[in-house]
Amino acid sequence: MQIDPLSDILSLLRPRSYISSGLEAGGDWSLQFDPQEGLIKCYAVTRGECLLLVDGCDAPTHLEEGDCFVLPSGRRFWMGNNREVAAVAARDLLPAVRDGGMVRINRGDRFQIVGSRFAVGGAHAADMLGALPPIVHVSRAAEQAVLRSSVEMMMQEMRNSRPGGHLVSQHLAHIMLVQALRHYLDSTSATGPGWFGALADPHLSRVMAALHNDTARRWSLQDLAAEAGMSRSAFASHFKERVGSTPIEYLTRLRMLHAIDRLEHSEDTVSVIALDLGYESESAFSTAFKRLHGVSPRQYGRLATAAAAE
């Protein structure tokens, strides 16, 4: 079965601890949200408008009814309708929201968002999320239409406590995330460095698909250049510029991401993992693993098991 890079990486993030909730606001309001590393937020504006300013962005993003947005990197952000109003710390105004809950500010009659936030696990999550933009904003009508059914279903699940509602909300949150990232990749905005920006590159997207679909293959620079339809030198330079590493370095890191995932979530032996990832021996795999992570695969596996038991 063919697997695409976006599906591969999102599966490695192993989203968990979903909470679907909403916010209603009225009058003048201003909220400051603390950084929350390892959390992805995916929301849709269902009524009214507001401004959103994420750390690392030069200017606020204007959100209006129908817009969807993803905050993938857990950065600090501000949300409100009046930047002159003193910001209230969200942690004080919005205590732990129960799943399906709706928080109201003032009369709550002018603005509403609904969506989900969820945690991602693994020592590699920060690196993968770091390649995503600070905010993924879906504002075009055609793109909104695709997301609208997921948003409407999520609102219905939040209003009606029905059997299986939590599971439905989890799946809807994941669908919203994937759809938003897809639309961003199709836009002209997806030009940043890293694996995510490479997916939008007409040459490199084919290479990324090949690497993620056959991670164990002994890829050569010539093989990958052929996938890209470029000369070896042009491909090597273009890949390094867009992704920030050489193709072989990227392949090694990708193999190690899969290795970490299996060490954390499977009972496979180190030798089995090594062979499955294309290494001729456990020794070669262990050397590559320790070079990147500072410990051997066996040591990492023991540490992961101990952490899970706490």
Side-chain angles (χ1 to χ4, degrees):
M1 179 180 177
Q2 299 286 312
I3 184 168
D4 65 275
L6 184 58
S7 297
D8 190 27
I9 291 177
L10 290 180
S11 67
L12 288 170
L13 287 172
R14 291 185 176 269
R16 55 184 170 79
S17 303
Y18 294 78
I19 296 180
S20 298
S21 60
L23 167 69
E24 295 177 324
D28 289 331
W29 59 283
S30 176
L31 289 177
Q32 182 68 50
F33 291 79
D34 293 331
Q36 295 178 301
E37 185 176 348
L39 280 183
I40 298 176
K41 298 191 176 188
C42 184
Y43 282 86
V45 179
T46 52
R47 182 173 68 242
E49 60 184 340
C50 76
L51 294 174
L52 173 67
L53 181 59
V54 182
D55 269 10
C57 297
D58 295 331
T61 298
H62 179 237
L63 300 172
E64 56 188 15
E65 184 172 334
D67 286 4
C68 297
F69 64 95
V70 177
L71 304 178
S73 55
R75 300 186 187 193
R76 185 193 313 273
F77 69 95
W78 171 89
M79 178 181 286
N81 65 354
N82 189 339
R83 298 187 68 184
E84 301 301 319
V85 173
V88 175
R91 64 178 180 274
D92 297 331
L93 187 62
L94 313 176
V97 181
R98 64 178 178 84
D99 192 47
M102 183 71 73
V103 175
R104 177 171 294 176
I105 300 175
N106 300 326
R107 294 179 61 184
D109 56 345
R110 295 178 60 187
F111 176 77
Q112 183 186 70
I113 59 171
V114 297
S116 289
R117 65 181 186 271
F118 44 93
V120 293
H124 49 277
D127 289 338
M128 289 190 283
L129 293 177
L132 296 173
I135 175 173
V136 174
H137 181 205
V138 179
S139 59
R140 292 190 298 184
E143 298 168 348
Q144 292 173 356
V146 178
L147 286 159
R148 192 169 297 128
S149 60
S150 296
V151 174
E152 291 172 351
M153 288 180 66
M154 181 172 287
M155 292 182 67
Q156 184 175 0
E157 292 297 329
M158 290 170 59
R159 286 193 298 263
N160 306 314
S161 298
R162 301 179 61 192
H166 180 66
L167 183 60
V168 171
S169 294
Q170 287 186 13
H171 287 299
L172 290 172
H174 215 168
I175 289 170
M176 287 174 63
L177 173 63
V178 173
Q179 288 177 330
L181 294 178
R182 277 179 174 176
H183 293 312
Y184 187 82
L185 286 171
D186 290 338
S187 73
T188 57
S189 302
T191 57
W195 65 266
F196 190 67
L199 299 185
D201 186 288
H203 296 287
L204 298 188
S205 61
R206 297 195 294 268
V207 175
M208 299 293 280
L211 289 173
H212 282 262
N213 194 59
D214 196 357
T215 306
R217 177 173 165 177
R218 297 179 187 174
W219 291 99
S220 67
L221 186 61
Q222 182 60 52
D223 293 334
L224 296 172
E227 290 284 344
M230 304 172 69
S231 69
R232 282 201 310 173
S233 59
F235 165 70
S237 175
H238 186 54
F239 192 99
K240 181 68 178 292
E241 180 182 355
R242 287 303 307 269
V243 182
S245 66
T246 69
I248 303 306
E249 287 171 345
Y250 181 84
L251 174 60
T252 299
R253 287 207 306 271
L254 177 59
R255 286 173 170 174
M256 295 305 138
L257 291 176
H258 281 277
I260 286 177
D261 187 67
R262 291 176 65 173
L263 288 168
E264 291 179 347
H265 301 104
S266 80
E267 297 181 359
D268 294 335
T269 65
V270 173
S271 59
V272 168
I273 294 173
L275 293 176
D276 286 349
L277 292 178
Y279 289 90
E280 294 183 352
S281 67
E282 180 181 327
S283 175
F285 167 64
S286 296
T287 299
F289 189 97
K290 189 171 184 178
R291 186 184 306 120
L292 283 179
H293 299 292
V295 296
S296 71
R298 293 185 187 279
Q299 290 172 316
Y300 186 94
R302 287 194 291 270
L303 292 171
T305 299
E310 292 179 354

